[in-house]
Amino acid sequence: MVLGGQTFFGVSSAINFIIQIVLPTNWFSVHESATVVGVFWASWSLGQAAAAGILPFIIGSLDATEPKSTILKVKWVFLIVNGGIAFLHLFTGILSWFHLASHPSSPPSASQHHILKQNTDRKPPIIELLIANIKLILKVHCNREYLILTINHCLAISVVVLTKILVTSVFLDTFSNITDDDVAWIRLIGLLTSVPASIAFGKLVDKWKKFKELTLTAHICLTIAGGGIVVGHYFKNFACLGVLYPITMVLGMFSNVTLTEFMIEATYPMDKIILTASHYFATEMGIFTLTCVTRYSLQNYGVLAAVNIVLVTCAISVLLLIAARPHYKRLNTDMHEVECRKKIGDETRILLRKE
């Protein structure tokens, strides 16, 4: 029953993830989309931080983890938590139904106008639409840049595995004199720091438009931070790790923002819903695989083996990124439109002066 409930929440998370990545590219101009993606990742971190502060209070107040706790107390925990999440989903769903439109009042950019025009021109029957979608999925998985960036993201997700999923196990295996609360504070600091950092990274990407260079910078920094974490665990330096883990979480958000924008740019004009859904499936499978591998290494070979996995995967991701081609197709489409409008405006002004 518990796993079944978790599966349903996983489905809702996937839908929210896809929608909130696709909407910025549909509704905002190319000069704002990265900032909106940054806001999305910031809200993601903020929600996790809120959960980290609320859930322990609920579980502790019901004594659900005490040795003498009854099954009724455990049931109340699941009812309160799952009921609260269900209510929030229903509430936001109702708001979305009444306040969201299918399309913006006008295309925010030339690149988005091109996609909307393609979608308007063709309205095939259901069967043809299904066949067309299958072909699009195959086309996505044959795209070189999509494959490189998706594999790259799967490797970089080892940071998520270490700093969010297995962080308590890794710390308690390294330090025998700390408690779960000490680790929770480190994770909470990382989540809260990630909120403004994600927005700042989005604005940085929108300003510079150096998608490959910024993504590469994020992954190089992740590799350096991973090396520092290995050293910190080797020498059992709690202060060092207390600083590096939040920094690594912030750099992970840097990677999420830049890599998302880089992938959309390099694969334009590919269908963004199919693109994002395929990418989300691959990254979730990456989290599952890396969690299993890291957990196995932690149990059988110790903490150093587990944290070295993060260092190795981040280093490989840097090498993969070097192979990605910086073809900014969406940006080039918009820049070409701007140049054409400027040229027409200049010609109009010259004609007016002659008259």
Side-chain angles (χ1 to χ4, degrees):
M1 290 298 293
V2 172
L3 291 176
Q6 187 71 10
T7 300
F8 286 120
F9 283 124
V11 172
S12 66
S13 296
I15 293 171
N16 284 325
F17 177 88
I18 293 166
I19 289 174
Q20 293 183 70
I21 292 294
V22 170
L23 278 180
T25 57
N26 287 346
W27 280 74
F28 293 87
S29 72
V30 71
H31 299 292
E32 300 172 306
S33 58
T35 301
V36 184
V37 171
V39 171
F40 159 66
W41 284 113
S43 63
W44 194 279
S45 292
L46 188 61
Q48 290 180 329
I54 295 170
L55 294 182
F57 173 76
I58 295 173
I59 296 171
S61 62
L62 292 172
D63 296 327
T65 57
E66 296 298 322
K68 295 181 180 180
S69 64
T70 62
I71 190 66
L72 182 61
K73 291 182 178 179
V74 178
K75 287 182 178 178
W76 269 110
V77 169
F78 279 97
L79 180 62
I80 292 171
V81 174
N82 291 348
I85 296 173
F87 171 77
L88 290 172
H89 280 195
L90 179 63
F91 179 69
T92 53
I94 292 171
L95 287 179
S96 300
W97 178 265
F98 285 105
H99 293 285
L100 287 185
S102 297
H103 298 288
S105 54
S106 61
S109 59
S111 57
Q112 184 59 23
H113 175 72
H114 173 67
I115 292 175
L116 289 175
K117 188 174 183 300
Q118 283 184 325
N119 294 337
T120 305
D121 291 343
R122 56 170 191 264
K123 294 181 179 179
I126 297 296
I127 296 176
E128 290 184 18
L129 184 63
L130 290 173
I131 295 172
N133 283 338
I134 292 171
K135 290 180 178 178
L136 281 173
I137 292 171
L138 293 174
K139 184 179 179 182
V140 165
H141 287 86
C142 292
N143 185 280
R144 179 181 182 273
E145 264 53 55
Y146 165 80
L147 290 173
I148 289 175
L149 295 175
T150 300
I151 294 171
N152 188 280
H153 199 184
C154 289
L155 292 171
I157 273 178
S158 59
V159 171
V160 176
V161 172
L162 185 65
T163 58
K164 293 184 179 180
I165 300 174
L166 299 179
V167 58
T168 304
S169 300
V170 170
F171 265 90
L172 294 180
D173 279 10
T174 304
F175 306 98
S176 57
N177 58 337
I178 65 171
T179 63
D180 291 348
D181 291 339
D182 297 323
V183 183
W185 276 109
I186 292 174
R187 188 171 182 270
L188 185 61
I189 290 169
L191 288 169
L192 291 175
T193 309
S194 298
V195 174
S198 299
I199 300 172
F201 291 141
K203 287 186 175 295
L204 194 67
V205 174
D206 278 333
K207 182 179 180 180
W208 288 354
K209 295 298 178 186
K210 302 291 185 181
F211 302 102
K212 178 176 178 177
E213 292 82 351
L214 289 171
T215 308
L216 194 59
T217 301
H219 285 246
I220 290 172
C221 292
L222 277 173
T223 306
I224 295 170
I229 287 174
V230 171
V231 173
H233 278 286
Y234 181 80
F235 289 104
K236 297 186 177 182
N237 190 321
F238 183 79
C240 172
L241 295 174
V243 173
L244 283 175
Y245 269 79
I247 288 175
T248 306
M249 293 173 73
V250 170
L251 292 172
M253 283 297 167
F254 187 13
S255 169
N256 286 336
V257 173
T258 56
L259 198 142
T260 300
E261 281 292 287
F262 189 11
M263 183 178 66
I264 293 173
E265 282 287 341
T267 57
Y268 176 85
M270 204 164 282
D271 187 283
K272 289 186 282 292
I273 294 178
I274 292 176
L275 176 73
T276 311
S278 301
H279 183 74
Y280 180 82
F281 173 79
T283 52
E284 288 299 303
M285 292 303 298
I287 289 176
F288 170 76
T289 304
L290 283 168
T291 301
C292 292
V293 172
T294 309
R295 169 64 73 183
Y296 179 83
S297 300
L298 181 63
Q299 290 177 339
N300 293 277
Y301 302 106
V303 174
L304 285 178
V307 294
N308 266 295
I309 290 174
V310 178
L311 177 60
V312 171
T313 53
C314 288
I316 295 173
S317 73
V318 171
L319 297 176
L320 269 176
L321 266 176
I322 293 172
R325 291 180 295 217
H327 291 170
Y328 306 150
K329 300 175 184 177
R330 183 182 61 169
L331 181 63
N332 291 338
T333 301
D334 289 320
M335 291 297 101
H336 177 70
E337 180 70 15
V338 170
E339 289 175 3
C340 288
R341 289 180 180 178
K342 185 179 178 182
K343 185 177 180 181
I344 292 171
D346 292 340
E347 291 175 352
T348 303
R349 280 192 292 271
I350 292 170
L351 289 173
L352 289 172
R353 286 173 184 172
K354 288 181 178 179
E355 291 179 357

